Amino acid sequence: MAENSSNRMDVCKKLEELHGYLHIPGELLTPENGERKSFESFMLEPRVEKSLKRLNPWMDSESIAAAIKRIESPREDKNISLDALNESMYDIMVNHIISIESRDEAGRLVQRKVEFLDFEEPQKNEFIVSEGFKITIDGKTTEYDTMIFINGIPMIMFEKRKSSHNIVADEWIYKSDVYKRLFSELYSSRGISACSMLCIIMTRENAYVGTVTDRCVNFKRYCGLADTDEFFEPFKKAMLVNIIKNHIWYEYDLKSGNRRKRVCSFKHIKTVERLFDNAAYSKNTLAQSFYGTDNGIIATHTLLRMTNSSIFRKWRICVLTKRSDIKKRVERSIPLSKENIRLIRKFGEFVRTSMDATDEHTCIVISDGMDVDVEIAVKSYAEDISGVDNVVFIFDSLDEFADKAKQLKQYFKKGVFMAVSDMPKELLDEELRSIFEEDACSYDAASALEDDAIVKTLVRDSRDYRALPIEDKIQKIFNHYMNVIYPQEFKACVLCEDEQAARKYFRTLRRIISETPGCDITVKELSSTMSELEKANLLKDFREPLKIDKTGILVTDQVVPGYIEQPYLAIVYCDKVLSETKDILRAVAMGSSGYSYKEFFMFFDISSEASSSWILNAVRKYGDFAVPYEAVYREIKDVQEEINTILEGTGIDEADRIIKLMESETKRADFEKAYRSYAALVEQIAGEEDSPEYEKYLKELSSLRAQIKAAFSPQGSLDMDFLGRSTRRLLSEYATSSQLYEIMTPISIYDSNFERKMSMLGNASRAYSMENALRAAIELNIGKDMELHDKLLRKLEMILVDTHDNWIKRVQQLEGFLKEDFEDEMMRARKLGVPVQALQVLDIISHWLDCSQEEQLDVAVDINTGISMLVEKNFVPKWAIQEELIGTIKDGIRKLIAVRHGNRFKKESVAILANQLFEFTVRNYSTLENIVEVKEISIEEFIKRDKK
């Protein structure tokens, strides 16, 4: 964990200087200094007690101790998952779910809610920032990088990139390195992981924000580290407490099946704060948020910010949204438990309530606009409502409610209008623009791209489609979708000239799909004659992944509105001549909403006047989110040149020369970075007619990359996590057919197929691979015999000196070394037909057993298999340093012995035996490497499990 302390302490010093935090180094937050009870404590109990007394004057020392016990005790229950524990702690801190019985002023026993944070006056909370805070559990000490304590409770964690074995100048790898270290620290203490509200990852250049339930890919960039003002702005005391209170929520994650903690993007939070502040001063405000960046989040959190503030007490708030998911979420999120809030179901009732000055409630209505008939619901009360000044209208997509906004403004002359628009303000009509006096923060395309909120749009055209008869054109579109888009598990939209053309497309595609064997997708039509509700429901279903909603192709004659993001839409086939800038912009950005495996969105102009240059010119002024499709091929050529330079002109088939070049760690880093860039570009053209040439080169690069991995990191597995779906499938098929997966997975001299793996390598890579595999095997002897370890290591070094650059001679001598010094153990395992790990288990259990050697071996094999399956079932990277999983594995080993072989071992020996076997498990199965030997798996399965 060591790092240059001056670099690490920058965050602490800045928070102290800029925002008045109390900076206390971790070495001072000790029991000896009276800061906590013991080194196992994750919170600063004396400071928690002091804060509880200030926030809850009615509490005595006994009730304070009971409240602290409530936040300490859940972490001791290993049956509660860390995700559930974190959500429970959030409810305790934010929603005040802990109640303690006490006597009121009249002496009656009542239940009172306990407040841990002061949300009304954030500055009165105590903010401490500390670096190097340490916790010791079961003799293991974990040091935390930088941590923010609020009222003595650890809530924010920062993790910076420290020294790493991986020097690849690639942002994703940097981010992944820091993420892994952060989570090894988080999970070393259930208390820390339970209390963690936000996690900040800092690489060399960027800062990312996420939560305890997020995977690395879900950590979103929020600023560059060069912009210190932007980096530290969210940590202003009032802002940080506001984020915890109003901008964190939990939702069901369809992919994992678990509850997931989410945090609003900091740019959206800034927009919400601007809207909130302006509403307090009755200023009508318009916020622009680019297509695909979830405008509904801004509208939702603006409402929640208002309902959680005393400023808007007794106000009337109307939210207009066409998104049913946002409507439901708002209704679930509004704190109806508060006596002062009332949810109204009908807009007409809302209008009548807005005129009732005697109603003490904050009244809220969430409407999709269909029941907002202004002429009927409002006109008859025109005189009464014209002077009402405590009413707010919030529109999550202004363009969809343009007419409603104009009508409401005519009657509610003193009302406050807050709107979010994915349409640039200049493209709105003058009457609509005149409603809004102020502009809030603009989340433009450049910022959205930088934050990975959207993907770039590839714009292309094709004159080949123009001349085709309509039936042939539709067939060609279908073929392109099935070859290029469908393998990526994404969807398509066909934009037609008019309703008649859309009907023709729909019927033809439906027939083609029915006649195509094994085709499991459907096609649907979004017709202009459909009701608003029907359209909304269809679009809501279409935004689901293909495995849930089988609508692969949507046919329509209208540009799909931007109020529903389409994360699984990857292409628009545009057979419609677009002339309005508004329609062009929306069509080109229709599927730009980002998603984990989505590399791009394509706008394919196949209309009678197809022109990608004209389309690009029309949208260029709104950001560089759209690029010509041809640019991808230019980038591919550039990366090929870069790879050629890295290899110094060496042919890609000259493996020995390349492996010699790759002795330099910097060279390997440069090659890895270029490989990743090339793979990402091939993902964008995979399946196209001209893609085989580039796919072939990617396979050759992948084979070379596997040889480099086998040579210099044989004990590791080849990282495939960054690949898109098409390139992942392409390379999985190639690895299987060519048996390349043999060297993509970990290599050990104890592998039963070790010789076969070596035969797949060139002379240089084989020499390096054998050398490094032997080093790993020698390391296993440290715990057995240090003298033997030193002897084997010296012998290996002598071979390397004697065979300098003579790969054939080195391989021969290493084979001799292997046979002479390791053959006995290997041959014994191979002759018995068991993994070497089973022999290690046999050494552990043999003196506890009173049975034949054959029976002892059977028991050892069974226990080894059971342990490998136990680890495989619960595996996550670095499980051996995560408290929860360590407990799970230990319990599993005890049950394995007791249930399956309890009759063979004395009861008092089980605990000792289980501890010895756990140590064996950590040595052999802390990664997936040796599990591969116990259970043969395909490369697809290996990649999938490694990703998890």
Side-chain angles (χ1 to χ4, degrees), residues 797-816:
E797 295 298 338
M798 288 177 63
I799 292 174
L800 300 181
V801 171
D802 184 51
T803 60
H804 180 66
D805 283 356
N806 188 330
W807 310 122
I808 296 176
K809 184 179 178 182
R810 179 174 293 183
V811 167
Q812 290 172 345
Q813 291 199 22
L814 289 175
E815 287 175 344

Side-chain angles (χ1 to χ4, degrees), residues 28 185 212 224 399 411 446 487 630 682 715 735 745 803 812 857-858:
L28 300 181
E185 294 172 4
V212 71
D399 196 47
Y411 295 103
E630 295 76 21
V682 172
Q715 69 276 15
T745 52
T803 60
Q812 290 172 345
L857 182 61
D858 288 341

Side-chain angles (χ1 to χ4, degrees), residues 692-922:
E693 171 192 347
Y694 305 102
E695 292 171 1
K696 179 176 179 291
Y697 187 65
L698 179 62
K699 291 176 184 177
E700 292 172 347
L701 287 178
S702 300
S703 179
L704 179 58
R705 181 171 177 253
Q707 294 239 6
I708 293 170
K709 170 261 160 192
F712 300 103
S713 304
Q715 69 276 15
S717 58
L718 205 57
D719 179 20
M720 311 289 278
D721 192 45
F722 60 92
L723 292 171
R725 284 199 172 105
S726 291
T727 46
R728 182 186 296 266
R729 184 176 288 105
L730 172 76
L731 294 179
S732 292
E733 291 172 356
Y734 172 64
T736 303
S737 63
S738 66
Q739 295 189 320
L740 189 66
Y741 68 88
E742 297 267 19
I743 57 173
M744 292 170 70
T745 52
I747 296 174
S748 165
I749 63 169
Y750 299 117
D751 293 342
S752 59
N753 59 348
F754 178 71
E755 292 177 5
R756 185 167 76 248
K757 289 180 177 181
M758 291 299 100
S759 70
M760 297 179 66
L761 302 174
N763 290 324
S765 52
R766 186 185 309 175
Y768 278 112
S769 186
M770 290 185 71
E771 172 198 338
N772 287 307
L774 281 163
R775 284 188 189 280
I778 291 170
E779 291 300 316
L780 291 175
N781 287 285
I782 292 179
K784 301 175 186 176
D785 187 338
M786 181 60 83
E787 185 179 342
L788 175 62
H789 166 265
D790 291 340
K791 174 190 170 185
L792 294 174
L793 203 55
R794 285 195 301 272
K795 187 171 181 179
L796 176 61
E797 295 298 338
M798 288 177 63
I799 292 174
L800 300 181
V801 171
D802 184 51
T803 60
H804 180 66
D805 283 356
N806 188 330
W807 310 122
I808 296 176
K809 184 179 178 182
R810 179 174 293 183
V811 167
Q812 290 172 345
Q813 291 199 22
L814 289 175
E815 287 175 344
F817 179 30
L818 183 64
K819 185 173 182 179
E820 183 177 338
D821 292 274
F822 292 90
E823 188 75 9
D824 288 346
E825 190 176 11
M826 293 162 55
M827 288 303 297
R828 182 183 170 209
R830 290 175 185 173
K831 284 179 180 177
L832 292 170
V834 299
V836 173
Q837 289 77 20
L839 295 185
Q840 295 179 34
V841 173
L842 182 62
D843 290 340
I844 294 170
I845 68 173
S846 57
H847 62 282
W848 297 99
L849 291 172
D850 184 18
C851 56
S852 68
Q853 289 186 350
E854 186 176 346
E855 288 176 313
Q856 289 181 16
L857 182 61
D858 288 341
V859 173
V861 170
D862 185 69
I863 289 176
N864 179 56
T865 303
I867 287 174
S868 70
M869 292 173 66
L870 175 67
V871 174
E872 182 184 25
K873 179 181 177 182
N874 295 281
F875 185 82
V876 297
K878 298 190 177 182
W879 68 263
I881 57 174
Q882 296 186 24
E883 181 185 0
E884 182 182 30
L885 289 173
I886 287 173
T888 300
I889 299 298
K890 283 183 175 179
D891 289 343
I893 292 172
R894 279 194 291 269
K895 289 177 182 176
L896 176 66
I897 299 169
V899 174
R900 294 167 69 164
H901 303 288
N903 61 327
R904 295 181 180 273
F905 298 102
K906 293 181 180 180
K907 188 175 182 180
E908 59 271 20
S909 69
V910 172
I912 301 171
L913 188 58
N915 285 334
Q916 292 176 341
L917 287 172
F918 177 74
E919 292 175 3
F920 154 82
T921 305
V922 172

